[in-house]
mmCIF file of all heavy atoms in Angstrom:
data_model
loop_
_atom_site.group_PDB
_atom_site.id
_atom_site.type_symbol
_atom_site.label_atom_id
_atom_site.label_comp_id
_atom_site.label_asym_id
_atom_site.label_seq_id
_atom_site.Cartn_x
_atom_site.Cartn_y
_atom_site.Cartn_z
ATOM 1 N N PRO B 321 5.685 -8.628 21.718
ATOM 2 C CA PRO B 321 5.353 -7.501 20.840
ATOM 3 C C PRO B 321 4.138 -6.723 21.318
ATOM 4 O O PRO B 321 4.084 -5.497 21.155
ATOM 5 C CB PRO B 321 5.089 -8.158 19.478
ATOM 6 C CG PRO B 321 4.954 -9.595 19.737
ATOM 7 C CD PRO B 321 5.716 -9.896 20.973
ATOM 8 N N LEU B 322 3.173 -7.410 21.927
ATOM 9 C CA LEU B 322 1.989 -6.717 22.428
ATOM 10 C C LEU B 322 2.357 -5.831 23.613
ATOM 11 O O LEU B 322 1.940 -4.685 23.706
ATOM 12 C CB LEU B 322 0.920 -7.731 22.843
ATOM 13 C CG LEU B 322 0.394 -8.610 21.706
ATOM 14 C CD1 LEU B 322 -0.559 -9.660 22.237
ATOM 15 C CD2 LEU B 322 -0.303 -7.762 20.666
ATOM 16 N N LEU B 323 3.187 -6.383 24.540
ATOM 17 C CA LEU B 323 3.604 -5.606 25.707
ATOM 18 C C LEU B 323 4.386 -4.374 25.280
ATOM 19 O O LEU B 323 4.264 -3.304 25.871
ATOM 20 C CB LEU B 323 4.475 -6.465 26.628
ATOM 21 C CG LEU B 323 3.744 -7.325 27.654
ATOM 22 C CD1 LEU B 323 4.701 -8.301 28.292
ATOM 23 C CD2 LEU B 323 3.124 -6.443 28.726
ATOM 24 N N THR B 324 5.238 -4.553 24.232
ATOM 25 C CA THR B 324 6.057 -3.427 23.792
ATOM 26 C C THR B 324 5.202 -2.372 23.103
ATOM 27 O O THR B 324 5.464 -1.173 23.239
ATOM 28 C CB THR B 324 7.164 -3.926 22.841
ATOM 29 O OG1 THR B 324 7.808 -5.046 23.459
ATOM 30 C CG2 THR B 324 8.186 -2.859 22.551
ATOM 31 N N ALA B 325 4.159 -2.820 22.372
ATOM 32 C CA ALA B 325 3.314 -1.865 21.654
ATOM 33 C C ALA B 325 2.282 -1.212 22.560
ATOM 34 O O ALA B 325 1.818 -0.109 22.283
ATOM 35 C CB ALA B 325 2.606 -2.563 20.497
ATOM 36 N N ALA B 326 1.929 -1.903 23.666
ATOM 37 C CA ALA B 326 0.848 -1.392 24.510
ATOM 38 C C ALA B 326 1.291 -0.137 25.242
ATOM 39 O O ALA B 326 2.435 -0.036 25.689
ATOM 40 C CB ALA B 326 0.432 -2.458 25.520
ATOM 41 N N PRO B 327 0.382 0.833 25.370
ATOM 42 C CA PRO B 327 0.703 2.013 26.176
ATOM 43 C C PRO B 327 0.768 1.617 27.646
ATOM 44 O O PRO B 327 0.149 0.632 28.046
ATOM 45 C CB PRO B 327 -0.488 2.943 25.907
ATOM 46 C CG PRO B 327 -1.602 2.031 25.496
ATOM 47 C CD PRO B 327 -0.968 0.864 24.822
ATOM 48 N N ASP B 328 1.545 2.371 28.438
ATOM 49 C CA ASP B 328 1.615 2.091 29.874
ATOM 50 C C ASP B 328 0.223 2.185 30.474
ATOM 51 O O ASP B 328 -0.620 2.922 29.979
ATOM 52 C CB ASP B 328 2.535 3.118 30.559
ATOM 53 C CG ASP B 328 3.984 2.680 30.430
ATOM 54 O OD1 ASP B 328 4.200 1.489 30.153
ATOM 55 O OD2 ASP B 328 4.867 3.531 30.587
ATOM 56 N N GLY B 329 0.010 1.446 31.530
ATOM 57 C CA GLY B 329 -1.294 1.539 32.187
ATOM 58 C C GLY B 329 -2.044 0.224 32.151
ATOM 59 O O GLY B 329 -1.433 -0.841 32.173
ATOM 60 N N ASP B 330 -3.360 0.333 32.065
ATOM 61 C CA ASP B 330 -4.234 -0.827 32.193
ATOM 62 C C ASP B 330 -3.936 -1.953 31.217
ATOM 63 O O ASP B 330 -3.816 -3.113 31.602
ATOM 64 C CB ASP B 330 -5.700 -0.392 32.007
ATOM 65 C CG ASP B 330 -6.349 -0.131 33.354
ATOM 66 O OD1 ASP B 330 -5.623 -0.250 34.364
ATOM 67 O OD2 ASP B 330 -7.543 0.188 33.376
ATOM 68 N N THR B 331 -3.823 -1.597 29.922
ATOM 69 C CA THR B 331 -3.619 -2.601 28.885
ATOM 70 C C THR B 331 -2.390 -3.427 29.183
ATOM 71 O O THR B 331 -2.395 -4.657 29.127
ATOM 72 C CB THR B 331 -3.417 -1.909 27.525
ATOM 73 O OG1 THR B 331 -4.322 -0.846 27.426
ATOM 74 C CG2 THR B 331 -3.593 -2.882 26.402
ATOM 75 N N ARG B 332 -1.330 -2.721 29.513
ATOM 76 C CA ARG B 332 -0.067 -3.382 29.761
ATOM 77 C C ARG B 332 -0.152 -4.294 30.982
ATOM 78 O O ARG B 332 0.348 -5.427 30.964
ATOM 79 C CB ARG B 332 0.995 -2.305 29.961
ATOM 80 C CG ARG B 332 2.388 -2.768 29.686
ATOM 81 C CD ARG B 332 3.365 -1.628 29.922
ATOM 82 N NE ARG B 332 4.644 -2.185 30.209
ATOM 83 C CZ ARG B 332 5.690 -2.082 29.395
ATOM 84 N NH1 ARG B 332 5.586 -1.421 28.277
ATOM 85 N NH2 ARG B 332 6.836 -2.636 29.708
#
Side-chain angles (χ1 to χ4, degrees):
Chain B
L322 297 175
L323 274 169
T324 311
D328 276 342
D330 265 3
T331 319
R332 203 180 156 112

